[in-house]
């Protein structure tokens, strides 16, 4: 069964998302991050288990919505909207 997780993150400063531990993740699983914060706040990804388009920099009063799909070995970014 495909698993979908949604996380709402409110940033007060930039944040590094460390490489996730891959246990009980199956190909096709999804993670969606809904991130808000002050203008210039950054969401960065570190580690070998993320495949992302890089840093998401927020605009004032806006959100970033990033979706990752598990490929069977890594979490791969499938979509990104930064408002």
């Amino acid at each position: 069964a495909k698993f979908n997780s949604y996380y709402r993150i409110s940033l007060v400063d930039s944040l590094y998302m460390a490489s996730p531990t891959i246990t009980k993740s199956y190909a096709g699983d999804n993670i969606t991050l809904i991130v808000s914060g002050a203008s210039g706040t950054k969401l960065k990804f570190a580690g070998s288990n993320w495949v992302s388009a890089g840093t998401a920099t927020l605009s004032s009063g806006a959100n970033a919505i990033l979706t990752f799909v598990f490929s069977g070995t890594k979490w791969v970014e499938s979509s990104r909207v930064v408002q």
Side-chain angles (χ1 to χ4, degrees), residues 1-80:
K2 191 166 117 173
F3 184 70
N4 295 303
S5 294
Y6 297 88
Y7 300 96
R8 182 172 294 278
I9 303 167
S10 182
L11 300 178
V12 293
D13 200 353
S14 294
L15 174 69
Y16 276 96
M17 297 289 290
S19 190
T21 302
I22 299 177
T23 57
K24 299 193 188 286
S25 297
Y26 302 96
D29 287 356
N30 290 292
I31 294 174
T32 299
L33 305 174
I34 303 167
V35 185
S36 61
S39 182
T41 304
K42 299 177 190 301
L43 178 62
K44 302 175 183 181
F45 298 90
S48 61
N49 290 335
W50 293 114
V51 178
S52 80
T55 300
T57 303
L58 301 176
S59 298
S60 183
N63 291 315
I65 302 170
L66 298 91
T67 301
F68 291 85
V69 176
F70 190 64
S71 69
T73 57
K74 296 181 183 288
W75 287 98
V76 179
E77 185 173 337
S78 62
S79 69
R80 174 186 293 217

